[in-house]
Amino acid sequence: MTTTHADRTAALVAAAKSKSTRKTADAEQAIRRLLKRGERVTFQAVQREAGVSHAFLYNHAELRPRIERLRANPRPVDPDTTAPDSDNNLIHTLSQQIIELKKQHRTEVRALRDALEQAHGENLDLRRQLTRQGTATNHTASIAETS
């Protein structure tokens, strides 16, 4: 089975998007944990908590302004007053993650089906080539025998 440059590039792009989505979710969860514990939200704290790089956080279009805003306006958090909202936020976040994972799963299954279809086509082409070569070889051998 041969893989085209475009196929390999598409696979790499899909893997990078998947990794970025996971890291974004990890950073979001880290921010929520820091807020819930009443800790100050900084780039370093989120990086440490989420296991992502500073560069990822600084270059992320949505996370960076959120962290900057939370860093500039630290607010004490009372766990008793935020518990229902935290639960609702957690449920919402997890639901969104499930939706994203389902989308990603559908995309990956579609890509695998396309790759399988392509492999079947290539397999059929190779079988046809072998059949033609076998017929040509048998024809050449019978000509040599009659001479």
Side-chain angles (χ1 to χ4, degrees):
M1 176 170 85
T2 59
T3 305
T4 65
H5 178 70
D7 292 339
R8 290 190 303 267
T9 302
L12 287 173
V13 168
K17 283 182 182 178
S18 173
K19 183 178 178 182
S20 179
T21 301
R22 281 193 317 272
K23 286 185 173 204
T24 300
D26 291 345
E28 290 284 348
Q29 289 176 356
I31 291 170
R32 280 193 304 279
R33 285 191 302 265
L34 290 168
L35 289 171
K36 188 173 183 175
R37 291 193 308 247
E39 295 180 26
R40 193 155 178 249
V41 177
T42 63
F43 285 96
Q44 189 172 15
V46 174
Q47 178 222 353
R48 213 178 19 248
E49 186 81 16
V52 298
S53 69
H54 276 94
F56 176 79
L57 296 173
Y58 278 107
N59 293 326
H60 198 284
E62 296 162 1
L63 290 174
R64 182 177 182 167
R66 182 171 177 207
I67 294 170
E68 287 173 341
R69 186 177 45 33
L70 290 169
R71 182 179 64 180
N73 300 319
R75 60 185 174 120
V77 177
D78 182 6
D80 294 333
T81 61
T82 60
D85 286 338
S86 295
D87 289 344
N88 288 338
N89 287 340
L90 181 61
I91 290 169
H92 177 72
T93 301
L94 291 174
S95 296
Q96 289 302 111
Q97 287 177 355
I98 289 171
I99 290 168
E100 286 300 317
L101 287 171
K102 283 181 179 180
K103 279 186 204 174
Q104 179 183 348
H105 179 259
R106 281 193 299 272
T107 303
E108 290 173 357
V109 167
R110 199 174 310 122
L112 288 171
R113 283 187 180 145
D114 291 345
L116 181 61
E117 186 178 321
Q118 181 181 355
H120 282 306
E122 290 175 5
N123 193 8
L124 182 60
D125 289 343
L126 290 172
R127 283 184 188 167
R128 287 178 181 158
Q129 286 178 3
L130 284 174
T131 302
R132 276 180 270 169
Q133 288 176 353
T135 304
T137 305
N138 290 341
H139 181 69
T140 305
S142 38
I143 291 175
E145 289 177 3
T146 57
S147 301

